[in-house]
Amino acid sequence: MSSGASPVHSQNERQVKHETIESAIVRFAGDSGDGMQITGAQFTTTTGVAGNDLMTFPDFPAEIRAPVGTLGGVSGFQIHFSSRDIHTPGDLIDVLVAMNPAALKVNLKDLRPGGVLLVNTDAFDERNLSRVGYSSNPLEDPAVAEKYQLIRAPITKLTRTALEGLELQQNHMDRCKNFFALGVAYWLYQRDPETTTHWIKDKFKKNETFVEANLRALRAGYNFAEASELFTSRYEVRDAHFEPGLYRNINGATAIALGLIAGADRAGLELLYAGYPITPASDILHELSKHKNFGVKTFQAEDEIAAAGAAIGASYGGSLGVTASAGPGINLKLEAMNLAMITELPLVVINAQRAGPSTGLPTKTEQGDLLQSFFGRNGESPIPILASATPADSFDCSIEAVRLAVEFMTPVMYLSELFLIFGSEPWRVPSADSLPVIRHNQIQAGEDPAAFHTYARDEKTLARRWAIPGIPGFEHRVGGLEKDALSGAVSYDPDNHERMALTRQQKIENIANFIPEQSVYGEESGQLLILGWGGTHGAIRAAVEELKREGVSVSHAHLRYLNPFPRNLGEILKRFDTILIPELNLGQLSWLIRARFLREVVGLHKVKGRPFLVGEIKAKAMELLGRN
């Protein structure tokens, strides 16, 4: 935490130092049943209401109920909040709330020296310690107390005491201890608990006892921090500067859902989303299912293939078909994507990438599906590929995916990542009038069918007309077999097949004429360019900003469009001595850049299921610049 003015005030007959700081990073960690995600979400909402810029990083196990107290069952939620513009959930954390020994063991390495370590001492018994391999209680280790501000709090016992008289079973009492920890955090950062108070009253409105229990736990935690002499400092993070407007916190899943709704609306189309449950894509389905008032239809299919087929069928019938999945679910959709490609029907496929291969690490993040997006289908099967950079950017990226699908009559692969799907940040709600109008080329009733040919194309976009079944005179056939270049009749003519393959390829390449040129943050030429895509945006941009403040000249270009690449990308790459490409894979964009532009690049690869730290990218940049 960076400190500013430090006036000293009297509080409850003891001295508590009030510090104004620029930013802070807090992580709540506990067992997967301890409610850490709810705790983090409530702290996030309250922080947003307080006016800070923020980014979050929820991190939880794949098992619905992992073994209690084990390292594999640790659930964490990290939030970085600030009075300035920030781009990442942060590197080293300032405050760690550890609800048991497993949470301590997994997370302590990320706590900065001098940081606050709040532990629930009730959970540090012999059984829990031995379960995670501690031969002795780490809280008794003098080195821990010397290195960190160790706050020992019997959170379980204090929560039970606060709930006495409510006639709750002990297990129900213990479920409230996360709100005790939240109360402590609210006191530490001078947060008003009012927003969480309203949330509790609404969430448990059918059970007054649960409302009272959680409110008591929240107040008990706040009062514990206020009354005890364990804390010597409280912190204030002042409002961040935002452009005027209406803001809300948004995660990537919600941003994608709202973007799809907005895109369909701007195209004048009904939206059908068909999906099969899978982490982390399921949250998109959950969000879209709330918006039937916008004409959204959602369909949970029996499997991934059926979901993709239903979405294609919706597009064939004149709606916008959308499907999403992750990991092995995308593998199952690939043939259906080929069907949409060869029939030239609009389809948006969202790949919420997670760590693989196969089921891999299903609740961890990765960027391992880029080459699959290019080459994962049989035959010559080009499709547009784009990727969002931040949770909020997912809204605009969804609209763009809809535009490309509809205007070019093609399936579109939209790459998101688990880190973006679950992460959140403030988002300025745009006015509907500011969103782009998307033009489709559906044949309207009353048009003359005499000149209609199924695969006659627009001269500029090479897109075919979108003939909806049921319009007299526009009957036509589509399918997976190759078709005549004009009539759409099945054709095995070798020259026709080659012509169609080249035409479909040219249609996708022509999209480069209908997307923006690539921009560069920083100098337009120089010694080092960091080129990124997807969720690495925040870490790269933060590293570049820090380097520039230190007088180091580094530039950043971040790709939204991966196929086709922006038409000026090759020229940008020529203007820099060295190109560094950080990726959460083993170098997939690096491979494409070398192949497409014959340009050598330096890769920075990470496949640990976690996003890049700012320090990792900064260190590699300094190494390449010879400034270590």
Side-chain angles (χ1 to χ4, degrees), residues 250 252-269 271 288 320-322 346-350 384 386-388 390-408 410 412-415 427-440 514-516 560-561:
I250 197 166
T254 301
I256 288 172
L258 297 183
L260 291 172
I261 294 170
D265 179 76
R266 300 304 280 174
L269 299 173
L271 169 64
L288 281 170
L320 173 65
V322 180
L347 175 70
V348 176
V349 180
I350 301 160
L386 66 166
S388 52
T390 70
D393 180 55
S394 303
F395 176 81
D396 295 321
C397 207
S398 294
I399 296 176
E400 182 65 349
V402 172
R403 183 183 76 86
L404 296 181
V406 170
E407 293 187 354
F408 292 88
T410 176
V412 174
M413 175 63 88
Y414 167 17
L415 296 174
W427 174 59
R428 186 185 182 196
V429 181
S431 66
D433 293 340
S434 68
L435 302 178
V437 174
I438 298 174
R439 305 186 187 284
H440 62 73
F514 298 87
I515 62 175
R560 164 175 286 183
Y561 302 94

Side-chain angles (χ1 to χ4, degrees), residues 300-619:
Q300 180 178 319
E302 68 268 31
D303 57 41
E304 299 283 6
I305 299 171
I312 294 171
S315 290
Y316 181 62
S319 298
L320 173 65
V322 180
T323 189
S325 191
I330 292 295
N331 295 349
L332 295 172
K333 293 182 188 293
L334 290 173
E335 171 51 19
M337 291 174 61
N338 245 355
L339 178 62
M341 191 283 300
I342 199 168
T343 54
E344 301 189 50
L345 285 167
L347 175 70
V348 176
V349 180
I350 301 160
N351 184 349
Q353 297 172 96
R354 63 186 200 184
S358 188
T359 42
L361 304 176
T363 59
K364 308 300 176 185
T365 200
E366 202 168 274
Q367 295 179 309
D369 298 350
L370 179 58
L371 292 184
Q372 180 201 49
S373 303
F374 275 82
F375 308 121
R377 298 168 301 281
N378 70 297
E380 295 291 343
S381 179
I383 62 172
I385 302 167
L386 66 166
S388 52
T390 70
D393 180 55
S394 303
F395 176 81
D396 295 321
C397 207
S398 294
I399 296 176
E400 182 65 349
V402 172
R403 183 183 76 86
L404 296 181
V406 170
E407 293 187 354
F408 292 88
M409 295 291 286
T410 176
V412 174
M413 175 63 88
Y414 167 17
L415 296 174
S416 184
E417 299 159 39
L418 182 141
F419 168 60
L420 300 177
I421 293 285
F422 291 140
S424 62
E425 63 178 339
W427 174 59
R428 186 185 182 196
V429 181
S431 66
D433 293 340
S434 68
L435 302 178
V437 174
I438 298 174
R439 305 186 187 284
H440 62 73
N441 61 0
Q442 283 186 359
I443 290 172
Q444 304 299 311
E447 288 192 37
D448 182 6
F452 173 70
H453 297 286
T454 307
Y455 285 90
R457 298 174 185 278
D458 179 89
E459 187 175 311
K460 294 181 179 178
T461 65
L462 297 184
R464 74 177 182 91
R465 296 296 304 277
W466 192 357
I468 310 304
I471 302 178
F474 292 91
E475 294 85 357
H476 63 288
R477 70 173 102 177
V478 295
L481 292 172
E482 186 61 279
K483 296 160 290 295
D484 178 78
L486 192 60
S487 69
V490 172
S491 171
Y492 288 90
D493 179 72
D495 291 336
N496 176 76
H497 174 56
E498 185 170 83
R499 177 183 174 186
M500 287 294 277
L502 290 171
T503 301
R504 290 189 289 259
Q505 175 69 33
Q506 191 63 51
K507 182 176 75 168
I508 302 305
E509 291 181 359
N510 283 1
I511 292 176
N513 298 321
F514 298 87
I515 62 175
E517 292 194 339
Q518 181 62 47
S519 62
V520 176
Y521 174 77
E523 291 75 13
E524 292 290 329
S525 61
Q527 194 173 354
L528 178 62
L529 173 72
I530 304 181
L531 181 65
W533 68 280
T536 59
H537 175 273
I540 296 174
R541 181 57 56 89
V544 169
E545 288 182 347
E546 287 188 18
L547 289 166
K548 293 178 80 67
R549 282 196 293 269
E550 295 169 12
V552 180
S553 178
V554 180
S555 299
H556 175 204
H558 211 78
L559 295 170
R560 164 175 286 183
Y561 302 94
L562 294 151
N563 191 41
F565 286 123
R567 54 189 177 277
N568 64 330
L569 181 59
E571 290 301 315
I572 291 174
L573 298 178
K574 291 177 182 176
R575 298 202 294 260
F576 289 88
D577 298 334
T578 304
I579 310 295
L580 170 64
I581 302 181
E583 291 183 87
L584 297 177
N585 57 46
L586 297 181
Q588 299 191 15
L589 178 62
S590 296
W591 190 92
L592 289 168
I593 293 296
R594 292 188 186 104
R596 174 67 177 80
F597 299 101
L598 304 179
R599 176 63 204 263
E600 188 50 57
V601 300
V602 178
L604 177 60
H605 312 142
K606 182 175 181 178
V607 282
K608 298 182 178 180
R610 303 183 66 82
F612 275 111
L613 302 179
V614 176
E616 292 171 333
I617 294 173
K618 189 176 174 185

Side-chain angles (χ1 to χ4, degrees), residues 180-197:
F180 186 100
L182 182 62
V184 174
Y186 280 166
W187 179 87
L188 194 59
Y189 287 100
Q190 306 186 50
R191 298 295 190 217
D192 187 344
E194 191 64 18
T195 301
T196 296
T197 298

Side-chain angles (χ1 to χ4, degrees), residues 95-165:
V95 175
L96 171 62
V97 178
M99 301 296 282
N100 62 19
L104 181 72
K105 193 161 191 175
V106 169
N107 293 284
L108 187 60
K109 64 182 184 304
D110 298 327
L111 182 62
R112 69 169 177 82
V116 174
L117 173 59
L118 173 65
V119 294
N120 176 20
T121 53
D122 292 330
F124 282 70
D125 56 27
E126 185 174 346
R127 182 185 180 193
N128 286 338
L129 290 169
S130 63
R131 185 172 287 169
V132 296
Y134 277 127
S135 57
S136 61
N137 191 341
L139 304 183
E140 305 300 328
D141 183 351
V144 173
E146 290 175 8
K147 189 173 182 179
Y148 309 106
Q149 300 179 53
L150 178 59
I151 308 295
R152 306 163 188 266
I155 292 176
T156 304
K157 291 177 183 174
L158 290 171
T159 301
R160 292 174 184 172
T161 301
L163 272 53
E164 286 180 351

